[in-house]
Amino acid sequence: MTSEVIVDVQPKEIAIALLEDKRLVEYQHEGREAHFSVGNMYLARVKKIMPGLNACFVNVGHERDAFLHYLDLGIHYRQLEKYLSLLGDGNKNVSITKAIGEPELGKEGFVQEILNKDQEVLVQIVKEPINTKGPRITCDITFPGRYVVLIPFSEKISVSSKIKSNQERARLRQLVQSIKPKGFGVIIRTVAEGKRAIELDAEIKTLLKRWNDTIETIKDIRREKRTSQLPKLVYEETSRAVGLLRDLFNPSYENIYVNDKTVYNDILNYISLIAPDRKHIVKQYSGKVPIFDNFSVTRQIKSSFARAVTFKHGAYLIIEHTEALHVIDVNSGNRSKSPEGQETNALEVNLGAADEIARQLRLRDMGGIIVIDFIDLAQAENRQLLYERMVENMKQDRARHNILPLSKFGLMQITRQRVRPSQDIAVEENCPTCGGTGKITSSLLFTDKLEEKLAILSNNQTFKRVQLHVHPFVAAYINKGFISLRVKWQFKYHIKIDLIPNQQLSYLQYVFYETNGEEIDMREEKD
């Protein structure tokens, strides 16, 4: 199986697609200006205590306050609180070990006994805002890396349960014990299996520097007496691309294509740090066709994120998203019936559906409760076969999940870790010309409209060269002939036109860009 990662960097968002044998299996996208990413830390204030929930709401700058439960304070909260108070006493260099002696916070307790309204707290985002809910936060601070997770105020070393060899577990535990800083605990991740001391030591030092930088930021805020302006971001996860790629990366990847020089350098530096022998797989894409179009990602997104998703031999899924859960209905469609009977036909459809559903869960990053209505199976051994097929397919999923066997009603229930909002991509296109009225100017006049826009640009001496993105069919028409429309326009208006076919645009949609990638606003003023 060949695996490739495609990174599409746009002015307002960044998207990463993972292809296995050219087939889209994971897709993530974020706004480049988005805040409240998982892992970010804020120096914030308690807004409201809720004794009935044994929780409180904390202002982290989001339109909805973040939720902090008593159990999310973490067993090391007293050490964290003591350390922050020592920083506030004007001490320049405070060792973390001075706070280690504080007693751990018990699991049984009340938030009102620990926190007060308007109290200053250091919190970390563990779940991004989802729908009407604000961010979920914790005071149990961690710094995740590729191989290890660094935990301040702890001395415990834990090893991933997915590392099965007792000998390897003992080796890693002993190795980390010899190199970790005092006052810090470490979780050894699965990918650390077989790694050398020099690799783990380098990452621990990098994570320790992030902790020290966070503390310096807190000191600066207090020194400049900006605590009245809380909340303040004190630590931000690595760049969007690196953050998305960190948990996704696998040394078996054959290529990582990036269409932006800055992000390319960020990813190259990151891969050089964690896998120096694989840095050659990072490549900068410089083609004129949009990167997702070039690797057929756009087409797969359009077909994979619809409400109805087809798979083998005409069968299809109906996927519905609600506030409480996700519902998936399996339908045989116009699939030809098996001569061996209804049971065999239903089993074949269900097994194919299990393959596609496992892909859809990863692709859409669906979290929470998922209920699947499979076609009814009469035989218990077939129901067990379907359950085993789903369990095997889900082994490729990095998110924590739990799968229950089929119920008596033929329903399968899955819970899957939800950290970010599900990737719910709108694939329906609104007509950019009619605005939903159903009536448009004749398509024969579309090129006249483009020419009008070029005439406007020609009157502005700033534009000597522009990029024109249009639907591939329209691009083919404009480029048609020895002396094409594009050539005629260039001579007539003295503007160099780079014509870019873009599959993400609808039939009569167009976008002008400057050579630096900035969009040129050509929208018409309306009364």
Side-chain angles (χ1 to χ4, degrees), residues 118-375:
D118 294 327
Q119 182 174 334
E120 181 185 292
V121 287
L122 179 64
V123 296
Q124 185 172 31
I125 305 291
V126 292
K127 284 187 179 180
E128 292 181 3
I130 298 175
N131 295 330
T132 59
K133 300 176 183 177
R136 184 76 181 259
I137 57 178
T138 181
C139 291
D140 198 5
I141 303 300
T142 60
F143 289 85
R146 173 71 179 160
Y147 304 126
V148 299
V149 178
L150 192 67
I151 307 173
F153 310 106
S154 172
E155 292 288 354
K156 185 178 179 181
I157 298 176
S158 304
V159 184
S160 168
S161 60
K162 292 183 180 180
I163 299 179
K164 301 300 183 183
S165 168
N166 290 331
Q167 184 178 356
E168 177 64 9
R169 292 172 66 88
R171 183 190 76 88
L172 288 170
R173 194 184 298 273
Q174 185 177 7
L175 189 157
V176 169
Q177 181 65 51
S178 65
I179 60 177
K180 80 173 187 68
K182 190 170 179 57
F184 290 86
V186 173
I187 298 175
I188 302 172
R189 306 184 75 173
T190 308
V191 291
E193 187 172 8
K195 299 302 177 184
R196 298 172 299 163
I198 190 172
E199 295 172 286
L200 301 181
D201 185 49
E203 182 162 87
I204 288 175
K205 287 179 178 177
T206 299
L207 299 178
L208 182 61
K209 182 179 184 303
R210 291 178 186 172
W211 162 258
N212 291 330
D213 290 344
T214 302
I215 297 304
E216 287 302 318
T217 302
I218 294 174
K219 288 180 181 178
D220 290 342
I221 291 172
R222 289 178 168 174
R223 189 182 304 118
E224 297 172 12
K225 298 181 179 179
R226 288 183 287 153
T227 52
S228 61
Q229 302 172 13
L230 296 182
K232 289 287 186 182
L233 178 67
V234 295
Y235 169 76
E236 187 171 17
E237 269 283 17
T238 49
S239 70
R240 298 282 171 189
V242 172
L244 291 172
L245 189 62
R246 183 184 61 210
D247 296 330
L248 192 69
F249 178 74
N250 189 310
S252 66
Y253 291 161
E254 294 191 353
N255 296 295
I256 299 175
Y257 292 100
V258 192
N259 65 343
D260 181 85
K261 181 67 174 177
T262 302
V263 176
Y264 163 79
N265 289 329
D266 289 344
I267 293 177
L268 182 63
N269 292 335
Y270 176 69
I271 300 299
S272 299
L273 178 66
I274 65 169
D277 58 324
R278 301 294 295 164
K279 64 181 182 180
H280 64 278
I281 69 174
V282 185
K283 300 171 182 176
Q284 185 175 1
Y285 175 79
S286 57
K288 291 187 176 181
V289 177
I291 187 170
F292 271 8
D293 290 6
N294 185 69
F295 291 97
S296 299
V297 175
T298 302
R299 182 178 295 275
Q300 293 191 62
I301 290 174
K302 296 283 187 182
S303 62
S304 299
F305 283 89
R307 175 176 175 270
V309 178
T310 59
F311 57 101
K312 296 178 180 178
H313 309 299
Y316 63 95
L317 308 174
I318 298 294
I319 303 176
E320 298 280 6
H321 306 283
T322 72
E323 185 77 16
L325 48 77
H326 307 278
V327 181
I328 303 176
D329 184 36
V330 179
N331 296 278
S332 59
N334 58 3
R335 184 182 187 279
S336 59
K337 307 300 182 183
S338 170
E340 298 181 29
Q342 169 61 24
E343 181 77 4
T344 301
N345 183 69
L347 178 61
E348 290 179 359
V349 172
N350 284 339
L351 292 177
D355 297 339
E356 181 61 27
I357 289 169
R359 170 178 173 257
Q360 286 290 330
L361 296 186
R362 292 173 65 190
L363 189 58
R364 301 186 187 217
D365 202 14
M366 293 162 62
I369 301 173
I370 300 107
V371 178
I372 307 168
D373 182 13
F374 284 104
I375 299 174

Side-chain angles (χ1 to χ4, degrees), residues 377-390:
L377 293 170
Q379 299 178 18
E381 58 267 29
N382 287 339
R383 293 196 293 271
Q384 179 64 22
L385 186 63
L386 176 59
Y387 169 72
E388 292 173 355
R389 179 71 159 261
M390 180 60 76

